[in-house]
Amino acid sequence: MRLDKYLKVSRLIKRRTMAKEVADQGRVKVNGQKAKAGTEVKLGDELDVLFGQKHVSLRIDRIEEKAKKEDAATFYTILKEERINND
């Protein structure tokens, strides 16, 4: 599945256009490599995502074309979450 679609379906990012922008800005890594929106992701891949003041590392546990809101959290396991201070 494309990275931008995965970010949207898993509800890590609410809109696919926003997911594409975040990926194309270099704020997402897949298995340690900077990734573009079209990068293919698969089960077991590790993502590092930079959301403004927060850095989140997670592992992909599930991939499906569609998901209900209540199932979205089962698509990944958060490995590390930390705030970034720009002082």
Side-chain angles (χ1 to χ4, degrees), residues 10-27:
S10 65
R11 291 190 170 59
L12 286 162
I13 297 178
K14 292 187 184 200
R15 293 187 320 274
R16 190 165 176 183
T17 52
M18 183 63 76
K20 182 180 182 331
E21 287 175 22
V22 168
D24 290 344
Q25 289 171 0
R27 294 168 41 196

Side-chain angles (χ1 to χ4, degrees), residues 35-48:
K36 297 289 185 188
T39 301
E40 290 292 317
V41 295
K42 57 190 180 309
L43 288 176
D45 282 354
E46 291 189 9
L47 304 183
D48 291 307

